[in-house]
């Protein structure tokens, strides 16, 4: 009988070690940042954008009211990570800015000249109420112009010719096309996210209203489509696209994109150097060459250790947002106290029941009378 009492007591005290998961994510994120710092002179514009997102999110974490309840070890690591990413941002921005041949940076300097606080625009956490079935995608994506997509992003940022938060009818039509797939679809959602975080929410809402829809409906439809495609994209070995889809889903704060299996894959794919290499779309002969891989936000760069800057940049955002989700999913300080005390009370209750049964079995009437 006592073995069952002991088992019940043990079960009452057992709970998943969330802190080990958090430490693992912290280490993976630190490894990415270390790799990027070692290659700061090679980083491209979209990597700098990822750094800016990581900067903003880590800053929000260090100022979160819940932070003291995470414990000094975790809180210290978050602060060290924030400082490390801040230094990386300064290095990378200076390197790209000083590259006189970088016309692309000159066009998109406004995209990477500030931190991004993505999560502050997408709270509370979202959950799909249902996942509609979408038809199988065509073998080829619909006509998609990366140049036009870049132009639409620049309209949001503002140019010499157009004021900030411009949403032309042509851009709205392309960036909300319901037939989109793959990278075009992630581009569209990034366009919507960029409009929201750059203070263009009203302009985007007005454009959507003219087409008898809302921004929330567009986000929900496109994100559900991405989630519906995740398994098939993974099965096809398109790891870069899979990571980009997860990144977009997390930026929009949908819980389903934080599933443990997804995070385990991202941690598994990380190279020992800290970077990521999309093996399905790169080959060894691409070393030291600039390569366009699929339809991505910007050009990719395969550096000397065969790491993909594009996929590593995506992973930087995913790991940062995953860390935020893990930390904010922890019980609050009072909740932690309650859980610990509940376990102790449960243990005492189990022991008391066991003692009563033991007394009854041995007919110790006085003690039994006292307890019962």
């Amino acid at each position: 009988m006592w073995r069952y009492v002991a088992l019940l007591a043990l079960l009452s005290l057992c709970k998943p070690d969330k802190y080990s998961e958090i430490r693992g994510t912290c280490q993976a994120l630190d490894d990415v940042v270390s790799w990027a710092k070692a290659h700061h002179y090679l980083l491209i514009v979209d990597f700098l954008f990822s750094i800016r997102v990581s900067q903003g999110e880590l800053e929000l974490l260090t100022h979160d009211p819940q932070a003291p309840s995470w414990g000094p070890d975790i809180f210290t690591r978050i602060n060290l990570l924030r400082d490390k990413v801040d230094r990386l941002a300064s290095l990378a921005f200076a390197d790209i800015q000083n590259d006189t041949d970088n016309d692309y940076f000159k066009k998109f300097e406004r995209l990477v000249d500030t931190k991004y606080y993505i999560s502050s625009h997408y709270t509370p956490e979202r959950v799909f109420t249902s996942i509609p079935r979408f038809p199988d995608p065509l073998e080829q994506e619909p006509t998609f112009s990366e140049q036009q997509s870049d132009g639409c992003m620049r309209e949001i940022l503002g140019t010499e010719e157009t004021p900030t938060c411009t949403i032309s009818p042509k851009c709205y039509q392309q960036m909300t096309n319901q037939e989109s797939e793959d990278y075009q679809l992630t581009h569209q959602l990034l366009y919507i996210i960029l409009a929201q975080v750059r203070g263009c929410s009203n302009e985007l809402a007005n454009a959507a209203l003219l087409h008898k829809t809302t921004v929330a409906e567009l986000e929900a439809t496109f994100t559900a489509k991405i989630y519906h495609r995740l398994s098939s994209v993974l099965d096809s070995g398109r790891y870069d696209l899979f990571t980009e889809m997860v990144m977009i889903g997390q930026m929009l704060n949908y819980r389903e994109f934080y599933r443990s299996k997804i995070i385990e894959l991202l941690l598994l794919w990380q190279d020992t150097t800290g970077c990521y290499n999309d093996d399905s779309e790169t080959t060894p002969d691409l070393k030291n060459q600039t390569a366009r891989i699929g339809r991505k936000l910007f050009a990719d760069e395969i550096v000397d250790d065969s790491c993909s800057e594009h996929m590593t940049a995506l992973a930087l955002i995913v790991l940062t947002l995953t860390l935020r989700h893990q930390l904010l999913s922890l019980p609050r300080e009072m909740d932690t106290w309650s859980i610990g005390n509940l376990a102790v009370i449960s243990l005492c209750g189990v022991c008391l029941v066991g003692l009563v049964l033991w007394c009854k079995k041995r007919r110790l009437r006085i003690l039994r009378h006292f307890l019962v």
Side-chain angles (χ1 to χ4, degrees):
M1 187 267 293
W2 283 106
R3 72 181 65 179
Y4 298 110
V5 173
L7 179 60
L8 285 172
L10 182 62
L11 289 175
S12 70
L13 292 173
C14 288
K15 58 181 183 294
D17 185 4
K18 294 294 183 184
Y19 283 95
S20 65
E21 296 178 3
I22 291 169
R23 291 187 184 94
T25 305
C26 279
Q27 187 59 57
L29 181 55
D30 186 77
D31 290 344
V32 169
V33 177
S34 294
W35 178 88
K37 186 178 179 182
H39 298 83
H40 64 85
Y41 52 90
L42 292 175
L43 299 183
I44 51 179
V45 172
D46 61 328
F47 207 113
L48 184 51
F49 172 74
S50 295
I51 293 171
R52 293 302 195 190
V53 173
S54 185
Q55 262 190 300
E57 293 301 315
L58 289 172
E59 183 176 313
L60 288 176
L61 282 177
T62 58
H63 293 94
D64 193 278
Q66 197 174 332
S69 68
W70 300 336
D73 174 41
I74 297 297
F75 187 65
T76 300
R77 292 197 70 171
I78 301 303
N79 277 278
L80 290 174
L81 272 171
R82 179 203 59 189
D83 294 343
K84 193 171 183 177
V85 173
D86 284 347
R87 290 192 295 270
L88 173 61
S90 299
L91 283 172
F93 187 83
D95 286 332
I96 297 176
Q97 189 178 42
N98 293 332
D99 184 357
T100 55
D101 296 328
N102 198 337
D103 292 334
Y104 199 89
F105 171 76
K106 295 172 185 176
K107 293 179 180 179
F108 280 93
E109 183 174 359
R110 293 184 184 182
L111 178 69
V112 293
D113 64 357
T114 186
K115 303 174 186 178
Y116 286 94
Y117 306 96
I118 303 292
S119 59
S120 64
H121 295 271
Y122 291 99
T123 53
E125 185 179 69
R126 301 174 173 186
V127 180
F128 290 123
T129 54
S130 63
I131 306 292
R133 294 191 62 82
F134 295 93
D136 293 333
L138 301 173
E139 290 187 5
Q140 298 293 328
E141 288 188 50
T143 302
F144 174 62
S145 167
E146 287 191 81
Q147 290 73 23
Q148 186 178 342
S149 176
D150 288 349
C152 294
M153 298 286 186
R154 291 186 67 209
E155 279 189 357
I156 295 292
L157 300 169
T159 67
E160 295 178 356
E161 297 81 21
T162 59
T164 304
C165 294
T166 297
I167 299 178
S168 64
K170 185 177 181 180
C171 278
Y172 180 87
Q173 182 177 1
Q174 173 173 333
M175 304 311 281
T176 60
N177 178 7
Q178 298 285 333
E179 303 300 320
S180 301
E181 300 289 347
D182 295 350
Y183 287 108
Q184 181 180 2
L185 186 57
T186 56
H187 260 231
Q188 290 175 317
L189 280 167
L190 186 59
Y191 172 84
I192 292 173
I193 292 169
L194 186 64
Q196 305 275 56
V197 300
R198 296 291 297 204
C200 308
S201 300
N202 291 336
E203 289 80 359
L204 184 60
N206 291 335
L209 188 61
L210 289 174
H211 291 80
K212 300 180 180 180
T213 187
T214 65
V215 175
E217 289 175 353
L218 290 171
E219 289 174 343
T221 300
F222 291 162
T223 311
K225 193 173 186 180
I226 281 178
Y227 188 71
H228 178 76
R229 295 276 188 262
L230 270 183
S231 294
S232 59
V233 169
L234 180 61
D235 291 342
S236 66
R238 304 172 72 186
Y239 304 134
D240 183 276
L241 176 58
F242 177 88
T243 308
E244 186 161 310
M245 287 176 161
V246 171
M247 179 196 75
I248 292 295
Q250 289 189 354
M251 291 174 87
L252 290 164
N253 204 19
Y254 276 91
R255 182 189 300 171
E256 287 81 359
F257 291 90
Y258 291 104
R259 286 167 48 203
S260 58
K261 293 297 183 183
I262 292 176
I263 307 308
E264 287 170 8
L265 280 176
L266 265 294
L267 294 176
L268 181 66
W269 291 342
Q270 189 173 28
D271 188 77
T272 54
T273 63
C275 72
Y276 285 77
N277 179 22
D278 184 11
D279 291 325
S280 67
E281 295 183 335
T282 60
T283 53
D285 62 339
L286 288 177
K287 289 184 179 181
N288 303 314
Q289 298 180 26
T290 299
R292 180 73 67 172
I293 300 178
R295 297 193 182 279
K296 295 198 171 84
L297 306 184
F298 310 108
D300 196 16
E301 180 87 9
I302 309 302
V303 297
D304 55 358
D305 49 7
S306 298
C307 294
S308 164
E309 282 198 44
H310 185 264
M311 186 164 174
T312 307
L314 300 175
L316 175 59
I317 294 180
V318 171
L319 290 171
T320 302
L321 294 176
T322 295
L323 179 60
R324 176 185 180 276
H325 176 80
Q326 290 173 335
L327 288 168
L328 298 187
S329 296
L330 289 172
R332 294 185 181 273
E333 190 170 11
M334 182 58 68
D335 294 335
T336 305
W337 183 92
S338 301
I339 290 171
N341 280 274
L342 181 60
V344 172
I345 292 169
S346 299
L347 177 59
C348 292
V350 169
C351 292
L352 184 61
V353 170
L355 183 58
V356 170
L357 292 175
W358 181 82
C359 290
K360 284 185 176 181
K361 184 176 180 181
R362 285 158 178 76
R363 301 180 181 278
L364 298 178
R365 295 182 181 182
I366 297 177
L367 186 57
R368 183 183 64 181
H369 176 74
F370 174 75
L371 291 170
V372 178

